[in-house]
Amino acid sequence: MYLLLKKILPDFIKKAIKNVVFFIASYGYKREIEKRTKYSVFDYQQLAADMPLVTREYGYNAFYGIANIIKEQLDLPQGQPFEGIIEHGFCLPPDDVSEIDHPLQTVFVMGEVRQRYLQQRFPEKKIYSIGPYIQYVRSFHSDSWITEERNRLGKTLLVFPSHSTHHATMTFDIDGFFSEVERVRVEYHFSTVLVCLYWKDILLHLDRDILSRGYQIVTAGHIYDPNFLLRLRSIFLLADVAMGNSIGTHIGYSIACDIPYYFYDCPAEYTGDSVNYSDENILILKELFRKFLGDYRESIIPEARNFIEEYWGRWPTEIMR
């Protein structure tokens, strides 16, 4: 029946039907987003619950609420799709162009290294380095909430384990990694360890192993929740030092939020779609992370900040006009 109607109905009727369906789905999506605003970053099970994405945005642009953030910075209307490509995060491997190799001609990425590489690959496009997106969002939670929680938590270590994705499930030496977490906790006198879990790993029940170790869990929420980065900023504001076991966008975000980061190399393995971590470019990049972030520190050394800004960038004010 559907195929028959598709053949016989005029295009304007099919378009009208699609618009009605989209409107109904959008209403449900907005209600789900609003429901999740009632939860704090500690309500990880509610925030990680799976949800659909209803949007007219291109590709990855709607992930983590990035399109909304960029449109707000550029004073563009929120009700219209962004006419360009916004790379969803730090790109690993460095030569992956799957998000960029599409007809749209304006591309926003974070760092200048990435910008230069893509501009050589796609000379016909306009590639802009716009810095770490998290710099341009407010905290999801209020200043008073952050202050109250910081007083409750005391000196806090924020931990980012490797995470799974829609298409790949990760495993790593959990005991080995959290032995290092515990060493840091004891040696540097942390009162609290917060483990920031990705929504997918909460659905895969990684939280059970974390809770059994006596740590608390936080999450920024679902990849399709536009408040994701706002919550992530709140989480960073609760921390004194962050650490993790793999390269990811969160590292640059940590430094952008002025939170020192300790990179403890304990690589994950993935089943499903995955990255080849033996790739020479990734190995070279990992050496740089070890060099600048591989020692525990409670301050950000200038060399580490310069390294992060090279790969994560800054916001160039000239494109905001």
Side-chain angles (χ1 to χ4, degrees):
M1 178 63 73
Y2 171 76
L3 293 176
L4 177 62
L5 290 173
K6 188 174 180 181
K7 288 181 179 180
I8 66 176
L9 288 176
D11 288 342
F12 77 92
I13 293 181
K14 288 188 283 189
K15 183 177 180 180
I17 292 173
K18 286 182 180 179
N19 286 337
V20 170
V21 171
F22 181 81
F23 176 81
I24 294 171
S26 294
Y27 178 75
Y29 179 58
K30 290 174 182 176
R31 287 195 64 179
E32 182 62 29
I33 292 168
E34 178 63 26
K35 183 180 77 174
R36 296 182 187 220
T37 63
K38 307 298 192 296
Y39 302 124
S40 86
V41 296
F42 293 97
D43 296 319
Y44 69 91
Q45 291 180 325
Q46 294 91 331
L47 291 176
D50 214 351
M51 63 186 292
L53 175 63
V54 182
T55 182
R56 296 192 190 277
E57 296 288 354
Y58 161 80
Y60 295 84
N61 287 4
F63 288 7
Y64 310 120
I66 292 171
N68 293 347
I69 295 166
I70 302 306
K71 287 188 287 188
E72 182 177 353
Q73 290 298 319
L74 298 178
D75 198 25
L76 297 174
Q78 290 290 344
Q80 299 177 12
F82 180 72
E83 292 295 327
I85 298 169
I86 309 167
E87 204 162 47
H88 79 280
F90 183 78
C91 190
L92 194 68
D95 58 354
D96 180 12
V97 296
S98 57
E99 294 182 44
I100 312 302
D101 196 11
H102 293 276
L104 292 169
Q105 294 297 298
T106 301
V107 180
F108 284 178
V109 300
M110 288 192 290
E112 293 180 3
V113 170
R114 182 68 171 163
Q115 177 196 23
R116 291 193 295 268
Y117 173 77
L118 290 176
Q119 197 67 78
Q120 290 178 346
R121 286 284 301 268
F122 301 96
E124 75 282 5
K125 294 180 183 284
K126 294 181 179 179
I127 316 287
Y128 297 100
S129 167
I130 61 174
Y133 312 137
I134 201 169
Q135 291 188 96
Y136 311 105
V137 301
R138 68 186 187 281
S139 167
F140 180 82
H141 292 295
S142 67
D143 292 345
S144 60
W145 187 93
I146 296 294
T147 298
E148 182 178 334
E149 288 300 310
R150 284 187 61 87
N151 289 338
R152 178 180 71 86
L153 296 170
K155 186 179 180 182
T156 297
L157 177 65
L158 175 60
V159 178
F160 289 89
S162 299
H163 70 78
S164 304
T165 70
H166 270 110
H167 309 294
T169 301
M170 68 82 205
T171 57
F172 64 95
D173 181 4
I174 291 178
D175 289 335
F177 174 61
F178 280 102
S179 291
E180 177 65 6
V181 170
E182 187 64 12
R183 181 193 71 81
V184 170
R185 183 191 71 81
V186 172
E187 184 172 340
Y188 296 98
H189 309 291
F190 283 97
S191 301
T192 301
V193 174
L194 296 180
V195 181
C196 186
L197 288 185
Y198 199 57
W199 66 275
K200 185 65 173 180
D201 293 310
I202 294 169
L203 297 183
L204 294 172
H205 307 300
L206 182 59
D207 58 317
R208 297 171 182 172
D209 194 292
I210 306 303
L211 293 174
S212 70
R213 299 171 189 273
Y215 303 143
Q216 297 185 51
I217 296 172
V218 291
T219 188
H222 197 280
I223 187 174
Y224 296 157
D225 190 330
N227 290 311
F228 184 100
L229 279 185
L230 283 73
R231 290 194 189 92
L232 187 57
R233 187 169 186 88
S234 295
I235 291 169
F236 277 120
L237 292 176
L238 295 176
D240 295 282
V241 178
M243 68 176 288
N245 65 306
S246 63
I247 298 172
T249 306
H250 65 283
I251 298 178
Y253 283 173
S254 182
I255 302 301
C257 292
D258 284 324
I259 305 300
Y261 191 91
Y262 169 38
F263 175 63
Y264 180 73
D265 189 15
C266 180
E269 295 182 357
Y270 294 85
T271 56
D273 294 346
S274 62
V275 172
N276 177 16
Y277 284 91
S278 63
D279 178 271
E280 182 180 0
N281 290 326
I282 296 178
L283 293 176
I284 292 171
L285 186 60
K286 185 177 283 190
E287 280 303 314
L288 292 173
F289 277 91
R290 289 196 194 101
K291 177 180 179 181
F292 295 112
L293 298 167
D295 295 318
Y296 176 86
R297 295 185 177 92
E298 296 192 353
S299 62
I300 303 171
I301 60 174
E303 294 84 356
R305 192 179 295 277
N306 291 339
F307 164 66
I308 290 298
E309 288 182 352
E310 185 177 8
Y311 282 87
W312 270 259
R314 297 182 180 184
W315 189 275
T317 56
E318 64 270 16
I319 70 165
M320 293 177 62
R321 303 295 180 237

